[in-house]
Amino acid sequence: MSLRDLVAQEVAARMTAAEQLSRLRSVRLYFRRPKQPGFFVSETVEGPMVAVFTSWEGLALYAGACEWASTTADDLAVLLPEGVRALVDPLGPHPFVLDLALDEASARAAAAAFETAETRAQ
């Protein structure tokens, strides 16, 4: 782990839930784009889900060469059909279900996954 990673972890640990939620909402998420506008929705035991990724590299590992799109988590909340949730980084070290009505606990759980994405983007 680099010094940059250690500093980022410490900063995230000191953030309030509201700050973490704000940071989460502005993160860019990548997803496979169907021919018609919409999302590829998978039926799971936990209900309908859309796989989204914090990097296009993660999407490529999941779907291979494909048409893709991206949006912020905030916009995803508006775009997803009612009852459909987002599964973030399903192949990554910290996958999680993004309930777009985020509460304090899910904001804290999501912060670690998005730290990784921000480090990759830098």
Side-chain angles (χ1 to χ4, degrees):
M1 181 177 284
S2 72
L3 179 57
R4 173 184 255 173
D5 295 337
L6 289 171
V7 170
Q9 279 182 340
E10 186 62 26
V11 168
R14 293 174 187 235
M15 292 173 77
T16 66
E19 290 170 330
Q20 290 175 346
L21 183 55
S22 174
R23 181 176 166 192
L24 172 65
R25 289 182 182 272
S26 65
V27 169
R28 184 145 299 273
L29 297 172
Y30 301 85
F31 55 94
R32 193 169 161 215
R33 183 174 57 117
K35 291 183 191 268
Q36 300 296 321
F39 297 94
F40 284 106
V41 178
S42 298
E43 288 297 327
T44 71
V45 294
E46 293 186 25
M49 303 245 187
V50 171
V52 298
F53 302 85
T54 55
S55 71
W56 60 265
E57 295 94 346
L59 173 60
L61 286 173
Y62 179 82
C66 66
E67 296 292 321
W68 60 275
S70 69
T71 190
T72 63
D74 220 14
D75 288 340
L76 192 63
V78 175
L79 296 171
L80 281 179
E82 189 173 326
V84 176
R85 297 182 298 163
L87 178 59
V88 181
D89 289 336
L91 300 178
H94 305 288
F96 65 95
V97 174
L98 179 60
D99 284 319
L100 296 167
L102 287 170
D103 60 17
E104 185 173 320
S106 59
R108 290 187 194 284
F114 286 116
E115 270 181 41
T116 305
E118 284 181 350
T119 302
R120 276 187 253 151
Q122 297 171 356

